[in-house]
Amino acid sequence: MKQVSQQKIIFVTGKGGVGKSAVAAGIALKQARASRKTLLVELGYQSFYEDYFHLEKVGYQAQNLKPNLDLALWSGPECLKEYARHLLKVESLYRLFFENSVTKALIQVAPGLAELAILGKVTSHPRRVGPPLNYDCIVIDAFATGHFLALLRAPHGMAEAIRFGPMGDQSRSIEKILKDPQMCEYFVVSFPEELPVVEGIELWQGIYDIVKQKPVHIFNRVLDPAEAAMNAKAPALEPFQKYLAKVSTAETNLYNQLKMQGEVHTLPQVFSVDAWDVVSQIAEALP
Ligand SMILES: Nc1ncnc2c1ncn2[C@@H]1O[C@H](COP(=O)(O)OP(=O)(O)OP(=O)(O)O)[C@@H](O)[C@H]1O
Ligand SMILES: [Mg+2]
């Protein structure tokens, strides 16, 4: 098997509906096209990409999507189960602990446990824990705003609660990786409307407060009024040109607000209903 370079872990978050999944897939596709073995991961129980890319079934085990690009769906309980299997080694012991209703219920309610398990899996390769995750790059189509901050807070919370033993050690090692700019990058997606931008700015600060890393803003679905349309001299076009100019000014104002926090990548509104077309054009527009 090809040895991979130092693995990069990229988190993509933002307000609901801003294009997190499309952007995450675009980032992953760009990496794959650059010959980096890439895993695109969605979090939770329900796959979005299954419908989006017309796939038969998306599950915990990675499946191939495109050259150098795999896809998987990771839920908290499944990540925890895999970890426990690896830790306990003996299958019957594993069943005793995990295949009973009390433990199942505990996993659902224990604060931060599902989140910790997910981040444990996400960071398993650099920590050399669990089955190998042989990818150059892992791109996480992560939770939206509040849930994403809860995810990032989980290791620190757990390390505070359990100071000794393997659980505390694991939590601290996960936290260390999340804070390492050589390993993890954070992208906050928004689009040119007041609410997503305000939420994006708050989320940027929230991430910075937890991991002390500056995320990159992705300003998605920006309408770039074609120069030709703006400069055309036709009276019938005037109201439309005025409208476009207004949109453009509003977009610039919102862009400038994001820019005050640092790096911003702008992505165009893609005019296509084909998912791969959208994702592919996003990949091409990324710097
Ligand atoms: N730049 C773009 N150009 C055109 N369409 C886009 C662009 N970005 C996203 N979309 C489309 O917008 C829709 C919503 O995007 P997406 O599902 O990625 O958002 P999301 O933030 O992941 O949503 P959710 O919060 O529900 O997970 C999708 O149909 C997607 O194809
Ligand atoms: Mg999504």
Side-chain angles (χ1 to χ4, degrees), residues 113-124:
L113 190 56
E115 283 76 13
L116 188 74
I118 288 173
L119 288 181
K121 174 75 175 164
V122 167
T123 60
S124 64

Side-chain angles (χ1 to χ4, degrees), residues 114-184:
E115 283 76 13
L116 188 74
I118 288 173
L119 288 181
K121 174 75 175 164
V122 167
T123 60
S124 64
H125 186 80
R127 293 184 307 116
R128 301 182 201 286
V129 172
L133 211 50
N134 230 14
Y135 292 95
D136 296 301
C137 181
I138 299 186
V139 182
I140 318 282
D141 174 21
F143 302 128
T145 318
H147 194 182
F148 182 68
L149 293 175
L151 179 78
L152 289 188
R153 278 192 205 104
H156 188 75
M158 200 59 89
E160 290 281 289
I162 309 169
R163 288 182 183 266
F164 306 102
M167 196 77 162
D169 291 343
Q170 297 273 341
S171 303
R172 274 183 290 276
S173 73
I174 295 170
E175 197 187 353
K176 203 168 150 207
I177 289 183
L178 295 181
K179 289 182 168 174
D180 186 342
Q182 298 297 320
M183 290 194 222
C184 291

Side-chain angles (χ1 to χ4, degrees), residues 28-88:
L29 184 63
K30 187 179 166 80
Q31 294 284 334
R33 282 178 175 167
S35 302
R36 291 170 60 76
K37 198 165 179 282
T38 302
L39 177 65
L40 174 61
V41 177
E42 33 185 348
L43 302 183
Y45 299 90
Q46 195 84 42
S47 170
F48 164 78
Y49 295 122
E50 197 173 285
D51 284 344
Y52 196 52
F53 294 136
H54 307 290
L55 304 169
E56 207 148 90
K57 181 97 195 106
V58 178
Y60 189 71
Q61 297 308 328
Q63 62 176 285
N64 185 248
L65 272 189
K66 296 267 175 195
N68 287 320
L69 180 58
D70 289 358
L71 170 66
L73 168 70
W74 292 350
S75 72
E78 268 187 289
C79 292
L80 193 62
K81 269 189 202 169
E82 186 187 72
Y83 176 62
R85 255 201 192 102
H86 176 79
L87 202 71
L88 298 173

Side-chain angles (χ1 to χ4, degrees), residues 14-24 48-49 52 141-142 144 189 220-222 267-275 278-279 282:
K15 186 178 159 36
V18 291
K20 294 181 294 298
S21 301
V23 169
F48 164 78
Y49 295 122
Y52 196 52
D141 174 21
V189 185
N220 188 30
R221 310 192 77 153
V222 173
L267 294 176
Q269 165 69 40
V270 177
F271 291 99
S272 171
V273 287
D274 178 75
V278 173
V279 168
I282 286 176

